[in-house]
Amino acid sequence: MYIDKIWITGASGRLGSTLYRHLNPLDMEILATDKNIVDITNSKQVNKYVERNRPDIIINCSGLTKRNYCETHEDEAFLLNGLGARNIAVAARRVKAVLVHLSTEEVFDGTNLIPYREIDEPNPISVYGKSKNYGEKFVREFVPGHFIIRPSRLYSRENHFVEDIIEQAKKNKEVVVPKNQFFSPTSAIELTRFLLFLMNTSEYGTYHASCTGVCSRKEFAEEILKLTGIEAEIKEIEGDSQADFRPQYLALENYILNLTKEFEFLDWKKALSDYIDMEVKNAKK
């Protein structure tokens, strides 16, 4: 597929800005917008922008992601994560653009004891998860050429997930993490590598897109300290106000990719090592 123009929605957000930074050096035009330029909850604005610019690919990174906020602002969550996705899907179909829709592992309830596969039925328990699942349904309904992407706990320079652990360890000689939370931590570098592969195919559908393997939040912090050579105590706590509405088990298996064997994500430890070498250590220079 020849790609001349990509539109990234939500480009000022953490995920959107990460993808824009990694995709921008490519030999194609990148259109990056936020709600001040195109409000995706306004169908007229979305259609007007798409008609005027006619992107080949739309990457929808827009979304309300703060879990606690979503719980107390349900209408806002469903408007942006659900109806916003519908507006983009309808516009994409009109101009025959391929839609890459970034979703979440939180469409699952977190009660599994093994990683979730694409064939598992979503059962979100939070407003955030429910609203993202609602958006997925619109994408499937309105856009034949779509990719729905579910990463597991993405980390990047923009969201500071790794950097915050390093800062805690240096400042306090202690890192506090939630207990009994399991995931498949995924580097934004790896996600971008996968999206570049996928956008040049017609292998449409829903994909789990995570680094391979499963770890606890404690194991993730331990590996960061090991790779950076920082000595600190890791303390697990029962509660975490930032994760009150986050399911406990959110590890994913890239089941479709494992079946087709067309793309392979790095193991989470290798991806983390590469990320620290490229993003953390280089940032100090």
Side-chain angles (χ1 to χ4, degrees):
M1 174 183 177
Y2 177 73
I3 304 171
D4 180 58
K5 191 180 296 184
I6 295 176
W7 175 29
I8 301 177
T9 75
S12 63
R14 291 180 297 184
L15 177 56
S17 57
T18 298
L19 291 179
Y20 176 75
R21 177 166 60 89
H22 287 295
L23 292 173
N24 194 38
L26 300 178
D27 187 22
M28 60 186 71
E29 184 178 359
I30 307 292
L31 306 172
T33 67
D34 57 21
K35 64 181 180 181
N36 295 322
I37 300 173
V38 182
D39 179 0
I40 68 163
T41 67
N42 186 316
S43 61
K44 291 182 180 179
Q45 282 191 31
V46 172
N47 280 294
K48 183 178 179 180
Y49 187 84
V50 167
E51 285 285 355
R52 185 169 67 245
N53 292 283
R54 306 191 77 83
D56 302 297
I57 292 178
I58 302 171
I59 304 179
N60 181 27
C61 297
S62 296
L64 190 62
T65 61
K66 294 179 180 178
R67 280 72 179 171
N68 295 14
Y69 184 88
C70 285
E71 291 297 322
T72 56
H73 297 77
E74 183 175 16
D75 291 350
E76 192 175 338
F78 275 91
L79 178 62
L80 185 55
N81 296 338
L83 296 181
R86 180 204 63 183
N87 294 339
I88 292 172
V90 170
R93 182 169 181 168
R94 288 182 64 210
V95 298
K96 295 182 172 57
V98 172
L99 176 56
V100 180
H101 180 70
L102 274 296
S103 189
T104 175
E105 74 278 50
E106 292 186 47
V107 297
F108 299 109
D109 58 20
T111 60
N112 256 20
L113 297 177
I114 59 173
Y116 287 96
R117 298 173 169 184
E118 294 92 333
I119 58 175
D120 292 326
E121 193 68 27
N123 183 36
I125 60 174
S126 66
V127 170
Y128 172 67
K130 291 174 182 177
S131 64
K132 292 296 286 185
N133 188 48
Y134 189 49
E136 284 191 10
K137 292 178 179 179
F138 281 127
V139 171
R140 292 190 187 94
E141 181 178 356
F142 290 116
V143 191
H146 71 260
F147 300 106
I148 293 173
I149 310 298
R150 298 173 182 155
S152 173
R153 199 52 176 97
L154 198 68
Y155 58 88
S156 67
R157 187 197 302 174
E158 284 76 11
N159 71 19
H160 308 295
F161 186 47
V162 170
E163 289 79 357
D164 285 348
I165 291 173
I166 293 172
E167 185 177 351
Q168 270 194 72
K170 287 181 175 179
K171 185 177 179 180
N172 305 321
K173 299 300 179 183
E174 179 182 82
V175 177
V176 178
V177 297
K179 192 175 184 179
N180 296 324
Q181 282 194 10
F182 298 87
F183 60 147
S184 303
T186 302
S187 162
I189 298 169
E190 279 295 283
L191 178 62
T192 305
R193 188 170 70 90
F194 174 58
L195 292 182
L196 287 172
F197 160 78
L198 207 59
M199 289 187 299
N200 286 284
T201 76
S202 298
E203 305 295 326
Y204 302 126
T206 300
Y207 289 88
H208 287 180
S210 296
C211 290
T212 60
V214 181
C215 68
S216 66
R217 290 284 292 269
K218 180 181 180 182
E219 290 169 327
F220 186 61
E222 286 174 340
E223 191 66 18
I224 291 171
L225 299 187
K226 175 185 172 183
L227 291 168
T228 56
I230 302 171
E231 293 186 5
E233 179 184 356
I234 299 175
K235 180 180 178 181
E236 291 184 295
I237 58 173
E238 292 291 343
D240 179 1
S241 61
Q242 296 302 314
D244 287 347
F245 301 101
R246 191 189 295 273
Q248 288 192 315
Y249 191 93
L250 290 175
L252 299 179
E253 177 186 346
N254 305 333
Y255 185 61
I256 302 303
L257 294 180
N258 292 340
L259 288 177
T260 61
K261 303 187 186 305
E262 292 188 345
F263 185 94
E264 185 175 358
F265 274 82
L266 291 178
D267 172 80
W268 73 266
K269 288 186 178 180
K270 170 60 176 167
L272 178 61
S273 176
D274 289 352
Y275 174 83
I276 288 176
D277 285 342
M278 294 173 63
E279 299 279 40
V280 177
K281 293 180 180 178
N282 280 341
K284 299 176 183 177
K285 295 178 182 179

